[in-house]
Amino acid sequence: MTHILVTGGAGYIGSHACKALAQAGYTPVTYDNLVTGWQDAVKFGPFERGDLSDRARLDAVFAKYQPAAVMHFAALSQVGEAMSEPGRYWSNNVTGSLNLIQAAVDAGCLNFVFSSTCATYGEHDNVVLDETTPQHPLNAYGASKRAIEDILRDYQAAYGLNHVIFRYFNVAGADPDAEVGEFHQPETHLVPLMLDAIEGKRDGLTVFGTDYDTPDGTCIRDYVHVCDLVDAHVLGLNWLEQGKESRVFNLGTGSGFSVMEVIEHSKAVTNRAVPYTIGPRRAGDCTRLVSGSVRAEEELGWRPKRSTLETMITDAWRWHQNGSYDK
Ligand code: UDP
């Protein structure tokens, strides 16, 4: 039995990763403090409740399972919150990750898969965002993730910590079996907010700014299906198991969609109107974040299968109507 320690395994992406790991024959061990995660989402392996700041707890979990690798998802990840409470982002994300990384090294667990973000790139006019693009994050969320990338590089040099860093673009969709899905409280992400608005669970969606330099004035993002994203993580794990070099990969499809286009697609998929109003820009938002890289396809053999807007919204809608978690 090969255990993989999955921090944030009770969260949106982490829970999907646990399912993908279990399907690939691994035993995912979820380590999660349940501040934003859900115990109900832990369905595919053992659960260990704990905080990244708790070194003794981390040491006990490493000793108990002797994991072959860590997949590190646990993080605070909201742009708005990062602008208003940057200290929490530096403390939870950076200090917490440093604690985890040190515990992994001390336990002799030297394979590490890290979830980073395209928010580390920041604003770049008309530049293709690939893994060599300079990183100038606009908010403490992106900055905290960039700092953790730096820590991993230093730990590679000092202690041989082999790592794969994935810079996610916008993750959407849900498990097509609706066993797990996206459920944040409070919710801040576009697709689930839009589905809530369609169902009348909130007054309506606010579109954050229509004065950006894009064809319809709204921000453009590159949306990737959560199941495709976690498939890449299993490939990243295999990459490390094969003893390949530490590497950074963007995970996006290379196609950008504006907020208005996402609204239009949601109308078409659900056959329901999306109530929305236009609001001001949200602080910390970049105009356009689209991946310009095929490295994951070429080197990892990653082939996104469900990352069309239609499929992402269809899967999210199915989950939205059937699934939720209780604390
Ligand atoms: N967005 C919006 N209204 C909302 C939430 C998001 O217009 O209530 C926009 C946001 O400005 C961004 C896009 O939708 O351009 C995706 O935002 P989300 O928070 O889902 O992901 P992020 O890009 O911050 O990772």
Side-chain angles (χ1 to χ4, degrees):
M1 204 185 272
T2 304
H3 291 104
I4 307 297
L5 185 65
V6 182
T7 72
Y12 170 42
I13 300 172
S15 60
H16 287 78
C18 287
K19 180 165 181 173
L21 284 166
Q23 285 177 332
Y26 299 95
T27 302
V29 178
T30 290
Y31 187 86
D32 199 300
N33 62 8
L34 299 185
V35 168
T36 57
W38 305 90
Q39 188 155 359
D40 284 359
V42 184
K43 300 183 171 180
F44 310 101
F47 175 53
E48 296 286 347
R49 186 168 185 167
D51 200 274
L52 293 177
S53 64
D54 188 343
R55 181 61 203 265
R57 184 87 184 96
L58 281 169
D59 287 346
V61 170
F62 274 105
K64 180 171 174 186
Y65 296 99
Q66 315 254 316
V70 177
M71 279 194 188
H72 178 32
F73 298 95
L76 297 174
S77 63
Q78 293 173 21
V79 168
E81 193 180 68
M83 295 300 288
S84 56
E85 299 173 71
R88 282 183 66 211
Y89 278 69
W90 286 103
S91 154
N92 182 82
N93 290 1
V94 181
T95 312
S97 297
L98 181 57
N99 215 29
L100 170 70
I101 291 166
Q102 188 67 53
V105 166
D106 290 346
C109 178
L110 295 179
N111 287 333
F112 200 98
V113 179
F114 176 55
S115 63
S116 187
T117 169
C118 64
T120 60
Y121 293 122
E123 195 87 50
H124 292 271
D125 283 344
N126 301 318
V127 170
V128 168
L129 299 177
D130 67 23
E131 293 84 353
T132 64
T133 303
Q135 293 169 288
H136 303 300
L138 294 189
N139 52 62
Y141 167 57
S144 68
K145 291 283 187 173
R146 185 187 59 179
I148 300 161
E149 292 191 9
D150 289 342
I151 293 170
L152 288 172
R153 277 184 274 274
D154 285 349
Y155 271 65
Q156 164 86 67
Y159 310 112
L161 179 65
N162 304 309
H163 57 271
V164 166
I165 293 168
F166 288 117
R167 294 189 188 136
Y168 307 165
F169 285 69
N170 283 61
V171 187
D175 171 30
D177 305 326
E179 284 191 275
V180 284
E182 182 168 19
F183 191 60
H184 298 109
Q185 256 181 359
E187 187 53 78
T188 63
H189 292 106
L190 178 62
V191 172
L193 284 176
M194 205 174 42
L195 299 180
D196 272 353
I198 288 173
E199 286 197 301
K201 288 185 187 162
R202 61 182 69 239
D203 286 346
L205 179 78
T206 305
V207 174
F208 293 146
T210 51
D211 58 346
Y212 286 94
D213 185 17
T214 62
D216 65 21
T218 62
C219 290
I220 292 179
R221 296 287 182 271
D222 180 340
Y223 293 87
V224 55
H225 196 294
V226 64
C227 292
D228 288 335
L229 187 97
V230 298
D231 283 352
H233 287 64
V234 176
L235 294 170
L237 178 61
N238 299 154
W239 172 278
L240 292 174
E241 286 170 340
Q242 289 160 21
K244 293 187 179 167
E245 61 171 355
S246 294
R247 201 80 171 125
V248 179
F249 297 99
N250 278 359
L251 293 178
T253 65
S255 299
F257 294 94
S258 70
V259 175
M260 284 305 180
E261 287 174 314
V262 176
I263 290 175
E264 286 309 314
H265 278 82
S266 301
K267 249 192 241 171
V269 166
T270 62
N271 216 7
R272 309 260 286 267
V274 182
Y276 69 87
T277 52
I278 308 293
R281 290 184 179 200
R282 179 175 66 178
D285 264 342
C286 301
T287 306
R288 188 173 187 281
L289 287 168
V290 179
S291 177
S293 168
V294 290
R295 187 186 282 182
E297 285 88 329
E298 285 183 355
E299 298 187 15
L300 284 179
W302 182 53
R303 302 276 176 271
K305 298 182 196 84
R306 304 189 72 80
S307 292
T308 63
L309 265 190
E310 283 75 9
T311 304
M312 285 185 274
I313 295 167
T314 301
D315 289 348
W317 182 232
R318 186 183 308 109
W319 159 257
H320 208 80
Q321 292 180 302
N322 298 309
S324 72
Y325 302 127
D326 287 321
K327 280 282 183 205

